Amino acid sequence: MTPVHIYTDGSVHPNPNGQAGWAALLIWNEVRRELSGYLPIATNNTAELEAVIHGLDVLNGEGHEVVIHTDSEYTQKAIVGMKKPKANFGLLERIRALCARHTVTVEWERGHIGGAENERADTLANQARIRGKSHDGN
């Protein structure tokens, strides 16, 4: 089975508690889907988690092999249970429920070093924050 790759990012200004954008870039075989959204007030961690939720939420059915790529160590460690967060409990519960439907791996990768998919997710998140609205680039 070919895995679905989900590249996620969040953007907040000012952080914390500023306007936020989140983005998820889904790649499966030759299919690419871009999602982004706006949060009127959030922290960077919240925006990062929202990106994961929306990326997983659009997958139809169950049983996909999914690789989530994030440049947020907080997100990676919170999802795999290596970090006990002090906030965002509701978001993490939603992520765990969505992950239970699939086989999910979460990979941390250094951001802003030229990876095309990570840079695209970053651009989409920033655009959503600045635009102040959501986008489903089907």
Side-chain angles (χ1 to χ4, degrees):
M1 177 186 303
T2 303
V4 177
H5 291 269
I6 304 175
Y7 295 84
T8 63
D9 206 2
S11 171
V12 178
H13 185 74
N15 187 41
N17 302 322
Q19 293 184 335
W22 57 263
L25 169 61
L26 286 78
I27 302 173
W28 181 68
N29 291 330
E30 301 300 316
V31 177
R32 293 174 65 96
R33 183 172 179 184
E34 297 178 346
L35 308 170
S36 63
Y38 172 76
L39 301 166
I41 188 166
T43 66
N44 197 62
N45 290 338
T46 301
E48 297 275 355
L49 295 173
E50 285 285 345
V52 173
I53 288 168
H54 289 279
L56 288 168
D57 196 43
V58 299
L59 297 178
N60 295 324
E62 297 183 2
H64 293 285
E65 182 179 336
V66 179
V67 181
I68 298 169
H69 302 265
T70 180
D71 63 4
S72 165
E73 289 184 70
Y74 170 88
T75 297
Q76 188 262 340
K77 289 178 179 180
I79 293 172
V80 300
M82 293 171 54
K83 180 174 182 68
K84 301 298 180 206
K86 298 177 182 172
N88 300 312
F89 299 110
L91 296 176
L92 287 164
E93 285 179 8
R94 288 177 62 195
I95 290 171
R96 288 190 186 103
L98 290 164
C99 286
R101 298 172 26 198
H102 309 288
T103 302
V104 178
T105 304
V106 184
E107 295 184 1
W108 177 82
E109 54 188 57
R110 185 168 306 283
H112 314 292
I113 60 168
E117 289 81 9
N118 175 267
E119 293 294 336
R120 181 64 183 153
D122 179 65
T123 297
L124 291 168
N126 278 300
Q127 288 174 345
R129 177 181 52 80
I130 293 165
R131 227 182 20 247
K133 61 183 178 180
S134 300
H135 173 69
D136 181 348
N138 239 352

